[in-house]
Structure formats: C-alpha cells, structure tokens
Amino acid sequence: MTDQAMTLPETSPAAGLLPQSMGRMTLTEWAQMPITWVGLLSTDVAAASADLQAQIGAALPAPGQSLPCTGGHILWAGMGQALVMGTALSSVAGASVVDQSDAWCALRLSGPDAPAIMARLCPLDLGFDQFEEGAVARSLIGHMNGIIWRDGADSLTVMVYRSFAQTLVHELTHAMRAYAARLALA
Amino acid sequence: MMRIRDIGPAVSFTWDGKRLQGQVGDTLASALLANGQRVVARSFKYHRPRGIFTVGSAEPNALVTIGSGAAQDPNIRATVQEIYPGLEARSQNRWPSLGFDILAINDLASPFLSAGFYYKTFMWPRSFWEKLYEPFIRRAAGIGALSGQHNADHYEKAFAFCDLLVIGSGPAGLAAALEGARAGARVILAEDDARMGGRLICDNALLNDAAAGDWVDAALAELAAAPNVTLMPRTAVTGAYDGGTFGAIERVGLHLPHQPELPRETFWRISARRAILATGAIERPIAFANNDRPGVMMASALRSYLHRYGVAAGQQVVIFTNNDDAYASARDLEGAGVQVTLVDARADAVAPAGFAGRFIAGAQVCDTRGRMGLRAVQLRHGDGRTEWTRADCLGLSGGWNPSLHLACHMNGKPQWDEGLSAFLPVPGMVPGLDYAGAANGQYDTAACLAAGQTRARAALGDLGLSLPAAADLPKTPQAAARPMLPLWQVPGKSRAWLDFQNDVTTKDVALAARENYTSVEHMKRYTTQGMAPDQGKNSNVNALAVLADVTGRSIAQTGITTYRPPFVPVSLAALGAGAQGAGFAPQRFTTSDAASRAMGAPMIEAGLWYRPSYFPQAGETHWRQSCDREVGYVRNAVGIADVSTLGKIDIQGPDAGAFLDFVYTNMFSTLPVGRVRYGLMLREDGHVMDDGTTARLGPDHYLMTTTTAAAAQVMKHLDFVRQAHCAQMQVAFTSVTEEWAQFAIAGPKARGLLQQLTGQALDGADWPFMACGPIALGDVQGRLFRISFSGEMGFELAVPARFGAALFDRLCDMARDLGGGPYGMEALNVLRIEKGFITHAEIHGRVTGFDIGMQGMLSRKKDFIGKAAASRPGLLEDGRELLVGLRATNGSLIAGARLFTQGSDAVRTADQGYITSVAYSPTLDASIGLGFLRNGRARMGEVIRVKDHLRGVDILAEVCNPVFFDPEGGRARD
C-alpha cells in the first residue's frame, strides 16, 4: 500500500543560485549540516555547559563568541541561546534542544573584501581587525535579521532564515558586483 | 576667458548639444570657462542670465542637468561635476534656449515678484491654487527636472567606522590626518573635492620654500600608504548625528562614463569616535546693484581657476575687496598676463608689493553693465565721484565665513566674532567634534597646519592612544594681514543680489523686515533666502547682516538661521539605495514557491511571504472559476495547500505547560500528549492578539502555531512575558517556522491519500480529530496533525524544509489522482468563511474574546495575560459589535461595508457595524460574509441594510450564525 518510491529529494535553501564569484570574492552555500539550537531553560549556565563540554568538547560560548567543538562549532546565538553547527544533539542538561538544520540559509562570503561587502548591508563594524576570528553577531543584513560569524581568516558566514535565501543571495551578489566594479577603478 | 596652461589630455563633452573640448582634471565649470561660455544658467525667479560664480561646492548659479533619459540628473553644480568623455550637460530653467529665454519677461515684472508675492497674490479663489497658480508658478520659476521615469542606475548605502574622522583635506585636515595616521588610529579623511589639498592646490602658495602641492603630494602618499587610513575623495560629509554618526555622500561613478555595475553614489553612515571639522571657509560676496551678471565671480575662485585649471576667467578683471586675501588673486592674475584693477573698500589700503595694475583705495563697485556677460563696472570713489570702467570679469571678496554648518547640526548656535566679522563654532556643539583651521576662523596657512596638528593630538589623546612626538610642520611664508572692513552692501537704487540661487535681493530682506518678519528664521522663509541646493552658503551671513542693518540690531542680536543636514544636496536615489522596487522589502518564499509559479499561480503577499492565490487551469477565464473548483476539491475530494508560513514556536521545559496557561486564555497544561488544542491569546489590554493551535509533542514539549501575520508579534510577546513575568519558569522556546515545510491535506479523501503516502491506516481510533504525532515518510521523519481550517477531514503534514519542494509535488500528484489538487489562498479563505473561522480580518486588534463569541474560552480557573482587562464591564456589554454571519438576500456583500438597521438612514450616527470578510460560497451558492453587528447574537434572522458609501453598494443581508456550513462539525470528525 505504501507508495513505491518513497524517497524525497532534498533541496538546499539557495539551490541553483550559488556559487558565484566576483572580483576577489566568492559566495558559496554551506552544505546542509546539522544545526542544533540549544536554549537554556533558566539562567543556570553551568549544567548545560558541563554537559556540552562532555558531549561535544566545548561549553556555551560567551556572548558574541563561538568555539570549535567536535564535528564543528558552537555559536552564541542570543541571550541563553547557542547554535551547534555540524553536530547533532538529542538533549542537553538544563536546556531545550531543537533541530534547526533546515531553518537556516548559511552562506559563506570568502575573500579579502568580505568586510567591505558586508558594510553595504550590515550596520556593525565587521572589519577583519575588529570582528576577530570566531566572533559572532546577531544583526541586520539589509532588512533581514541574521547571524554573522567570522568563520575563517578571510571569510564571513552569513545566516538568515531559509525563506530569505533568494533575497540574501541577491543582496550579497549585488554588493559584490558593485564592489568589484569599484575595485576595478583603482 | 581662456585656457592659459594645459592641465591634461583633451576630453570631449557636450553642452546644450554642442560638442566642446575640455581637459582631464577639469570640472564642467572650468571647461565651460575655458570655452568662453559666459552664460550657463537662468536664475530661479527672474530668469536672469547667470555665469559661474564659485569654484567649489557652494556654487549658487551654475546648476545644470547631466545625462538624459531615465537617469537624467538635474541641479548638478557645474563646479563639482568633473568632465569625462561623452559627458552630456544641459542648461536648465530656460525656454526655448539659454540665450533667449521667454520667461526673462519675469525680470521686467520684478516689482511684483518680490518676497511674499505668492502669499499675497494667490489667496483667492482657493481652488485656483492647485489647478492654476501652482502649475504655472512651477513652470515659470524653477530649476531642473527629473525624467519622471524609473531610474535603473545603481546607488548604494554603506557603513564605515573610525577613531578619527577628518572632514576636509586642506592644510588643517591633512595635518590632523597625519597625526592620526602616525598614532595608529583608524582614520577616515573625507574630502568633497575630487582632489585632496583644499586651498593648498588652488593657491600659488609655498610650503618649505617649494610649491605647496609638493607637500600635499607627500602627505597624501604617506596617508595612502598607511593601512589604518582611508582616503575618501569626492565625499562630502552631509550631517552630524547622535552617537558620533556622520552622514556622507560619495560620488563613485558620477565623474565617469556610465558603468552599469558601478554605483553612481554611495551614502555613508560613518561612526567616528572623534571628528575634526577642517572644512575651511567660504568667501562671501558683496551686494550692490546688478552684482549677478555673468562674469561676476568670487575673487578666490579666480585664482583657483588660474592655478588648478589653467583658466583665466577674464582678460580685463576688476577685483573688489574689503580684505587682503583678494590681493593674491590680483597679483596672480596679473602675473598670468591679465589686466587687473584692484578696488579696495578700505580707505587706508596700500597697493600690494609688486602689483603693477591700477589700485584704488577707499572705493566701491556700485553697478555693472552687460546682460549676457559683464562689460563694465561702475566705481564710486571715496569722494563720491563715479566712473565706468571696462571689465569682462569682476572678482568679489567680502571676507570669509567659516564653513561650520556641520557643527550646528545638533542645534548648537555659533557665536559672532566681531574682530573677524564671522560666526565661529563654540566648543561642544557636537559631542566629539573639534574644529581646526579656517572652519574655526584661523585663516593663515601656518595657523591651519598648527591647529590641525594640535586638535588631532588632543582628540587622539582623549581616545587613550599613545602619540609619537609631534613632527615639524612645513615652513610657511610670513604673512601679516591687515584687518578687514565689514562691508555687506553698497547703497544703490537697483536690485542688489544676496541669494543668487533664489533671486533674493537686499530689497526683499528690507521688505520682509518692513512687514515684521524681523526674526532671521521668518525672514528666511518669507524671502526664501538660503533655501534650495546651496542652502545659502554664499548668502546667509550677508542676508542677516542686511536684516540687522534695517532692523537696527547688531548681527549678534539678529542671530543666525539653523543649519540642518544635509550640507550638500544628497540624491534621493542614494538615500533610498537598494530599496527600489522589489528591494523595498525582503521576500520570503516557501519551499513550494517554484512549483506554484510553474503552475501559473498568481502570488499574493502575506507579510513578507508570497503565497499562491489560486492555480488556474486551461479554460478558466476568471479567478472565481479556479477558486470555486479548488473549494470543490476540498469539499468533495482532497486539496493540498502550503501552510508553512504560519508561525511555529517550539516550547520546551518543565514549566512549558504553565507558561502556555499564562499566555493563552485556556488551559494547555492539561492537554494530553499527542493532542492539539485551539488557543486564544490576549494582549495585556484584554483584546485578542492571536489565535492558533498548539500541539503537545511530549510531556515537556509543545508546538505552538500562530497566524502568518502575527508570527513575529507573538514571538516577541512570548519573549517579553518570559522575561518580565515568568523569569522563574524553566522554559525555553524558539521559532521553528522555517525548519518545517507544512502542507494541509484536506477533504473527504485526505485520509486515503495519506494512507497511500505513509502506508499507515490513520484510522479514527489512533488518529482522531485533533491528534498529532510523529510520522515516517520513508527515511524522513515528519509530523502529522489532524486539524482542519476547512471543516473537512483534514491533516497537516510537516517535514524538514529540505524535503518540502519534493513533498509538495508528490502530494499534488496524488491529490490529482483522487480528483483533487492544490488550492490557493482564495479557496482557503472561502472554506474558512463557510465555517466561520476567524483570521486577522476579524481579530484586527479592536475585538475581545466576548466579541467573537469565545468568552467561554477565558478560563476562570487560572490567571492569564489580559484576564483582568478583559473583565471590564464595558468589554462585556451586549450592545457591543459582535461577530455574526451575513448572507446577502440580493447582490453581493463587500468587505468594509457598514451595517444599518433596515429602513434607517445610512449615516454615521445610525451605524450598526461592519463587514470584515466576504466570499461567494460555491458550496451554498450564496454571497456570505462575516462581520460585527451591535448586539449581533440577539439579532439572528434579522434582515439588515449593507451599505458601502465609497463603492456604491446598498443591499440587504440576513444576520445568521457565522458557521454557515456543517455547524455540528461532523465532517472534520470520524
């Protein structure tokens, strides 16, 4: 009685739109990876941090920070909240755990002009000498709420909710194109 | 006018369609001067011929239109626009041509066109203003025009950050920036001009006994090499705002042939910990009869054109000054072979050393001749004798006004300095902003350099930076200037211009005073002095000095008008960059979006989301046909709808149930695991905020559903309640709206479809109405909810969003095989109205649970948000407007129509309520609706009058139960 071919193909948030390269910059979509939201049930950080340390080798990061952990990274994501990227979790002591692997569109903006591109979209100072490796911020990206993560020496990862994927790609590539044209003047 | 020295390779451009040659490095103004183009514009009101007046940003006359077609850009200052190959520039405010302008007739009518003319003349009849007077005046008096077409050019906005923002790159600005660079501070040096250097590159000055330009080049090279310094030429700082934020407009592509991907301009928001205002000073003219002729220019501009652009602006030049600075212009022009007459208003003035031309002390220029270009000026000597002398160019210098506008943007008032006859900034006008150089009344180069250095060091010290020892400043020639003689106007009978851009004369100011507009702010508005693109940069102080004179007050007593941002014109395209068309708001797309569009569904916006309105099929010519068919799917077979846009909030923790009890009016802690309950949420004021279903997925785990429209509001509300009222609770929640793609599967064949899809029986015993639980689709772990927004047997199936697109295709295929298919928002709306289910059309923010017939859901056993406020007697009166159903007895209902008792007049005082939602119900073959009617629940069966005054609907409808179809609800249950 079951439908014979019960397999559902996956579609990534920015499917068909990326990668794109302009000037010295490349924009790629992170491959779908486990993203787990961890939300503290109370102001007690200790139990959750200890459990996370035991499970993934990293405690809850301080505000605006991320830490490498087993299989990926754990990112601060707001008051009493963190996102574990790259590793699935089923429970954490003293915290709520929710699978958000499909909720986010995570794009990686690589190249030396990443801060300049983001300066067109985000009111924060994301200069590589200011927003250091591992730093995380929640802010506006254009008109969207999102997360910005300095995930590498010359890259920023920008995350918005999945449904905004097209707008985010448009905003970033628009800024990349304009910045490449500006660089070409020099 | 002629080019006396080449400055670069030739560049070809057009002026009013005529091909002209300029040189690389020219502005449009310098190129027009080099080409002998004396008249470049017509004035605003009188259409007087006007020529180039200044060299920089403060130009009042030479406003031109650049480009053509959609992107034509009006009111561009020719003194700012750089030329490039193919530049297309046109004069404006003239017809049929710049040389012969019909509306120059206005000049003859000038006695009627003085200040206040419009206010006095066009009072009556009232209706004539909009229809006749205003269009005529707009045509007669004006400046450039937009194309009226959509502009596809690229503009952008951006943010920048620095420790020290230096505004202006003259000697003070460069000295300040060098200090910042050497201290390791993050420095931004912003310069309005295309080239940095300020007056150092416009004067024939010496630094360290060499050309000042050499020192400028060395300073710029050092700054450019410093990684902590950002040089921003072509960037005018436009405003000072709270928190150390400055606005700035950068001309990125305006000086180049069009490149589609390059922004034309960038509007910057610069966050600076400290800032130095080093904007220099603006030379001020002197008012006398007919001082607006083409060929009348600022004295300092003459020397800028000479040194920087290699252009002599005249062959027979008169310089009229009240201070020493203009002597340099006289000397330099003479050195270039120009015949110069120097007229100094000061009786004790002495001819400058080495000046061979005619020098007249104690004299004034009192009139001019030459309508299309200056031919002669009239001098009045100290003894009253007058003479006409031939001149094709007249340079004016009435002294200098420090360019302190930015310092005033936070409402600080500058102070009048009697010695300098100028307003000076006072400390602390803008927090973190200091002043250096001519902007602070320090006019000689040595003082500018020293001030730039010391003020920057003070600012950097404030920031806690350790400073290297101050480097030696370049040596400047000794200069001892004698005091200026304040001179604002030369008496005379003819009009003497103050504000060239708005055609405001000394007479207008006197008239304003006579009519009791003696406050400087009133005078400004009555005369329009200081408005429009130049914002009175040349005229402001002169006008208030004249006002002070005619009112018998001092300038200090008269005061100054308020300077507000922007300092220079900022194009709306730059301010609104990125927000044109679809860029106005982000777009949110569901996983079924592409498939829905492929099926031809018109999409409608729901918040930021796009949802299919209906799915047209071949042969359908009207949306109603599609909608009726889709309603039929759900009532008779099975329909599929994407409901992913509804807000979904995952709530977990030992106190999750208690938390829900507090935010909902009804109980959720008692809900069994695996069951769903409808909930009503109130605001603190007792009115309905939102409704939706909440499922209990586990003992400590709930999933709340909100309406699409209120998803963000509810999330914010929950956060507030948690933090403000329930801090002790062990609960955490997050939005999972985007994690899940969720589809409604509704209709008598819904279970059959799901049986086929999942291989599970899903019978009524295991999956009764309002059940929920996990379900597997092969390897995919989904969630199933047996809920219905249509009144039919209904399920909602959720899967992780990555599978949404594929699942939607699958469901649509399966539904088609069963005689159904996808349905859109129109059908969804009809189905819910037939069932009397409310949306935000009904719970629009002004209704209570009582109003919508859900008072019974307000639990008496517990407290909840809004409980106290909802119990206020006024909110529980029968006379309130209460939710009812309406069925038209003739015609079609219309949402927004008002309700009246049958037979009564349809007037406001007889109003009985209104209609919120309407539909044609194919199920009932009737026009039905929901609405709010006074004491409506007691009026079932009454026929009432439905009147829409705007759209001319006046019909009758029967009041009925809002549940039109299957009131017992049997169809949704087993």
Side-chain angles (χ1 to χ4, degrees):
Chain A
M1 185 153 180
T2 311
D3 192 330
Q4 290 305 306
M6 191 59 230
T7 53
L8 292 172
E10 301 180 17
T11 309
S12 73
L17 303 173
L18 296 174
Q20 291 196 48
S21 292
M22 276 162 243
R24 308 187 287 189
M25 300 300 299
T26 301
L27 185 65
T28 51
E29 182 177 17
W30 278 85
Q32 290 271 34
M33 62 177 157
I35 301 177
T36 309
W37 179 83
V38 178
L40 294 182
L41 294 170
S42 69
T43 52
D44 178 16
V45 184
S49 268
D51 193 12
L52 281 166
Q53 188 75 51
Q55 289 194 57
I56 58 170
L60 281 169
Q65 297 298 319
S66 70
L67 295 168
C69 67
T70 313
H73 289 82
I74 179 166
L75 277 60
W76 171 87
M79 190 178 78
Q81 303 175 54
L83 289 179
V84 180
M85 318 261 298
T87 299
L89 290 170
S90 54
S91 70
V92 172
S96 160
V97 167
V98 178
D99 183 12
Q100 293 278 43
S101 308
D102 293 50
W104 293 96
C105 167
L107 305 185
R108 189 174 208 194
L109 183 60
S110 312
D113 307 322
I117 308 273
M118 286 303 292
R120 270 71 191 163
L121 298 170
C122 175
L124 295 183
D125 188 354
L126 301 174
F128 279 158
D129 52 348
Q130 307 292 316
F131 192 65
E132 292 176 349
E133 273 196 71
V136 177
R138 298 205 69 150
S139 184
L140 281 176
I141 299 150
H143 290 116
M144 298 171 285
N145 282 306
I147 296 175
I148 300 145
W149 172 34
R150 174 81 187 279
D151 69 296
D154 72 341
S155 67
L156 293 170
T157 285
V158 183
M159 296 169 63
V160 296
Y161 276 136
R162 178 187 193 100
S163 63
F164 291 107
Q166 277 191 38
T167 301
L168 180 63
V169 169
H170 172 80
E171 298 263 14
L172 283 170
T173 53
H174 191 67
M176 286 163 68
R177 198 170 291 122
Y179 197 74
R182 183 190 273 262
L183 280 185
L185 293 181
Chain B
M1 292 188 280
M2 58 184 288
R3 178 85 67 182
I4 60 167
R5 177 173 59 84
D6 288 334
I7 57 168
V11 176
S12 159
F13 67 102
T14 66
W15 168 250
D16 277 342
K18 193 169 56 175
R19 181 170 293 274
L20 298 177
Q21 296 282 324
Q23 295 183 355
V24 170
D26 265 331
T27 60
L28 178 61
S30 65
L32 288 172
L33 280 175
N35 279 279
Q37 184 69 43
R38 310 194 72 184
V39 180
V40 299
R42 289 279 175 163
S43 74
F44 179 68
K45 198 156 75 169
Y46 302 126
H47 290 246
R48 304 243 313 173
R50 289 282 170 79
I52 289 153
F53 191 65
T54 70
V55 74
S57 186
E59 175 63 29
N61 283 349
L63 300 185
V64 302
T65 297
I66 302 295
S68 57
Q72 85 171 38
D73 211 350
N75 306 332
I76 300 300
R77 291 153 292 160
T79 49
V80 172
Q81 176 67 51
E82 297 163 65
I83 64 164
Y84 53 81
L87 170 74
E88 192 184 342
R90 280 174 294 145
S91 57
Q92 52 190 37
N93 198 35
R94 81 290 188 267
W95 188 85
S97 72
L98 187 60
F100 177 73
D101 179 8
I102 294 280
L103 280 166
I105 190 84
N106 282 4
D107 201 22
L108 301 176
S110 65
F112 302 104
L113 291 174
S114 57
F117 164 69
Y118 303 149
Y119 308 130
K120 292 168 187 165
T121 311
F122 299 126
M123 294 291 286
W124 184 92
R126 201 183 166 90
S127 65
F128 275 31
W129 177 254
E130 217 169 292
K131 293 192 175 72
L132 183 67
Y133 297 146
E134 192 186 346
F136 176 75
I137 292 166
R138 288 264 175 241
R139 184 173 296 262
I143 36 184
L146 293 167
S147 67
Q149 298 167 48
H150 181 78
N151 182 358
D153 282 341
H154 182 187
Y155 289 78
E156 73 177 7
K157 286 187 286 197
F159 296 90
F161 305 85
C162 61
D163 296 321
L164 185 68
L165 170 65
V166 181
I167 309 166
S169 67
L174 286 175
L178 285 169
E179 288 302 317
R182 290 165 186 165
R186 295 169 92 193
V187 177
I188 290 176
L189 175 59
E191 168 57 58
D192 189 8
D193 202 290
R195 275 178 65 194
M196 299 223 169
R199 287 224 57 89
L200 292 178
I201 56 166
C202 294
D203 285 338
N204 194 22
L206 296 176
L207 286 178
N208 288 338
D209 301 319
D214 296 350
W215 182 80
V216 171
D217 290 344
L220 289 174
E222 180 182 342
L223 293 170
N228 52 323
V229 177
T230 305
L231 298 176
M232 295 181 73
R234 301 189 178 90
T235 303
V237 176
T238 57
Y241 304 91
D242 285 320
T245 302
F246 293 83
I249 184 79
E250 180 190 10
R251 306 185 300 280
V252 182
L254 292 179
H255 61 295
L256 297 168
H258 194 260
Q259 298 179 31
E261 295 187 343
L262 184 70
R264 308 287 283 157
E265 292 178 280
T266 301
F267 184 75
W268 289 94
R269 275 162 284 186
I270 302 172
S271 177
R273 297 171 71 199
R274 291 289 184 281
I276 303 284
L277 188 75
T279 39
I282 299 172
E283 195 169 32
R284 58 196 179 210
I286 299 166
F288 54 86
N290 295 308
N291 61 339
D292 67 328
R293 305 261 191 230
V296 180
M297 298 175 70
M298 297 312 307
S300 60
L302 296 181
R303 100 180 167 258
S304 298
Y305 283 113
L306 184 68
H307 296 306
R308 183 165 164 191
Y309 300 103
V311 174
Q315 293 305 301
Q316 282 182 303
V317 176
V318 174
I319 304 265
F320 175 28
T321 183
N322 67 345
N323 66 87
D324 279 7
D325 185 76
Y327 286 15
S329 297
R331 261 195 320 250
D332 294 354
L333 283 165
E334 192 175 68
V338 175
Q339 181 193 323
V340 182
T341 303
L342 181 53
V343 179
D344 193 325
R346 295 173 294 185
D348 59 349
V350 181
F355 178 69
R358 189 177 172 202
F359 178 82
I360 312 166
Q364 295 175 334
V365 173
C366 56
D367 202 353
T368 68
R369 279 188 193 140
R371 184 165 173 80
M372 301 304 287
L374 188 70
R375 291 199 315 272
V377 301
Q378 188 180 32
L379 309 178
R380 184 186 293 129
H381 293 273
D383 56 10
R385 176 171 53 90
T386 63
E387 66 166 297
W388 282 95
T389 182
R390 291 185 65 82
D392 60 357
C393 179
L394 170 62
L396 300 177
S397 183
W400 294 79
N401 291 323
S403 192
L404 49 70
H405 307 68
L406 289 164
C408 303
H409 282 179
M410 291 175 74
N411 223 16
K413 288 286 178 191
Q415 225 161 40
W416 179 252
D417 184 288
E418 206 63 53
L420 289 172
S421 283
F423 282 99
L424 296 183
V426 295
M429 294 168 83
V430 171
L433 178 70
D434 203 350
Y435 327 110
N440 200 27
Q442 296 149 317
Y443 294 147
D444 74 273
T445 307
C448 288
L449 290 163
Q453 186 176 64
T454 52
R455 298 331 301 161
R457 290 179 76 84
L460 296 162
D462 269 3
L463 295 177
L465 293 167
S466 61
L467 305 174
D472 288 341
L473 292 168
K475 187 158 71 77
T476 57
Q478 290 295 318
R482 282 156 301 165
M484 66 172 288
L485 170 74
L487 176 62
W488 311 104
Q489 57 178 327
V490 176
K493 286 212 174 92
S494 297
R495 283 169 294 164
W497 268 260
L498 289 164
D499 182 338
F500 293 69
Q501 190 152 95
N502 294 293
D503 267 339
V504 178
T505 65
T506 53
K507 285 183 178 179
D508 294 315
V509 174
L511 178 65
R514 217 160 50 237
E515 299 191 342
N516 208 28
Y517 294 101
T518 50
S519 145
V520 67
E521 298 282 6
H522 291 162
M523 177 277 287
K524 166 178 170 163
R525 282 154 187 82
Y526 196 61
T527 62
T528 70
Q529 181 275 322
M531 298 185 181
D534 84 338
Q535 289 288 297
K537 289 190 184 69
N538 302 285
S539 61
N540 186 282
V541 175
N542 292 29
L544 66 91
V546 171
L547 181 67
D549 188 39
V550 295
T551 56
R553 295 172 297 183
S554 69
I555 290 174
Q557 285 169 329
T558 305
I560 194 165
T561 50
T562 308
Y563 295 132
R564 297 187 178 86
F567 175 62
V568 296
V570 178
S571 61
L572 291 176
L575 287 175
Q580 276 184 202
F584 180 71
Q587 295 173 305
R588 301 182 76 175
F589 298 117
T590 62
T591 57
S592 65
D593 188 81
S596 297
R597 288 175 200 262
M599 284 187 261
M603 306 303 281
I604 54 172
E605 290 173 50
L608 299 176
W609 289 99
Y610 288 76
R611 304 185 73 181
S613 188
Y614 54 93
F615 295 88
Q617 285 194 350
E620 290 172 348
T621 55
H622 191 275
W623 69 268
R624 261 279 309 284
Q625 293 170 309
S626 310
C627 175
D628 290 357
R629 171 178 49 75
E630 291 168 14
V631 170
Y633 287 166
V634 177
R635 292 277 177 246
N636 305 315
V638 58
I640 307 296
D642 191 331
V643 293
S644 309
T645 61
L646 274 73
K648 298 181 276 290
I649 301 172
D650 185 290
I651 302 169
Q652 295 186 44
D655 294 320
F659 181 68
L660 287 168
D661 286 346
F662 191 57
V663 293
Y664 274 131
T665 65
N666 47 332
M667 292 288 263
F668 279 83
S669 53
T670 56
L671 180 68
V673 173
R675 287 292 182 274
V676 183
R677 182 170 285 168
Y678 175 79
L680 191 66
M681 195 180 288
L682 303 186
R683 296 190 308 240
E684 194 72 79
D685 67 3
H687 292 74
V688 177
M689 171 187 279
D690 198 38
D691 69 343
T693 59
T694 288
R696 190 163 195 177
L697 303 178
D700 294 344
H701 192 184
Y702 292 81
L703 181 69
M704 175 188 284
T705 308
T706 76
T707 56
T708 300
Q713 183 193 1
V714 169
M715 190 70 199
K716 194 169 141 187
H717 176 67
L718 297 188
D719 254 330
F720 176 81
V721 172
R722 162 79 206 278
Q723 290 182 34
H725 301 309
C726 306
Q728 78 292 351
M729 285 191 181
Q730 294 226 14
V731 62
F733 45 84
T734 192
S735 168
V736 290
T737 307
E738 301 265 12
E739 169 67 15
W740 299 92
Q742 191 156 323
F743 303 97
I745 300 150
K749 297 181 181 174
R751 176 148 54 201
L753 185 153
L754 280 166
Q755 284 169 343
Q756 195 189 341
L757 183 72
T758 64
Q760 296 189 31
L762 304 173
D763 58 44
D766 291 337
W767 282 91
F769 183 55
M770 300 301 257
C772 69
I775 195 154
L777 303 176
D779 294 338
V780 176
Q781 294 303 309
R783 287 171 176 170
L784 190 64
F785 307 86
R786 187 166 166 198
I787 52 179
S788 173
F789 198 50
S790 61
E792 298 298 329
M793 156 91 56
F795 293 86
E796 290 188 9
L797 175 61
V799 291
R802 73 185 70 179
F803 304 109
L807 180 61
F808 181 70
D809 290 345
R810 179 73 58 91
L811 291 172
C812 289
D813 286 346
M814 294 174 75
R816 282 188 204 100
D817 290 345
L818 294 168
Y823 64 102
M825 294 295 287
E826 294 294 350
L828 187 143
N829 196 40
V830 172
L831 292 161
R832 70 98 188 167
I833 293 171
E834 288 178 344
K835 286 294 296 176
F837 292 147
I838 55 173
T839 66
H840 278 279
E842 283 73 42
I843 46 173
H844 49 53
R846 288 173 289 133
V847 302
T848 63
F850 176 79
D851 297 341
I852 55 174
M854 294 189 187
Q855 184 65 17
M857 285 182 66
L858 275 59
S859 172
R860 296 194 197 140
K861 297 181 196 149
K862 64 177 180 89
D863 193 16
F864 55 86
I865 298 279
K867 182 173 189 174
S871 67
R872 287 174 290 173
L875 297 186
L876 298 167
E877 286 171 356
D878 287 336
R880 287 179 63 80
E881 291 164 344
L882 307 176
L883 180 70
V884 295
L886 296 163
R887 184 193 290 253
T889 58
N890 61 333
S892 293
L893 297 174
I894 185 164
R898 309 300 306 191
L899 306 177
F900 300 93
T901 304
Q902 200 181 353
S904 89
D905 287 341
V907 294
R908 183 182 55 79
T909 48
D911 185 75
Q912 294 285 300
Y914 53 95
I915 298 182
T916 50
S917 300
V918 298
Y920 167 74
S921 164
T923 317
L924 305 170
D925 186 22
S927 170
I928 61 172
L930 300 175
F932 288 85
L933 177 66
R934 284 192 186 284
N935 197 21
R937 288 198 280 272
R939 297 171 72 171
M940 297 295 152
E942 182 181 333
V943 173
I944 56 161
R945 184 176 176 189
V946 175
K947 167 105 178 169
D948 188 310
H949 297 78
L950 282 176
R951 287 165 288 188
V953 173
D954 194 353
I955 61 169
L956 296 175
E958 186 190 335
V959 181
C960 57
N961 185 326
V963 188
F964 295 89
F965 181 68
D966 187 26
E968 297 78 27
R971 295 176 70 90
R973 295 177 169 79
D974 291 288

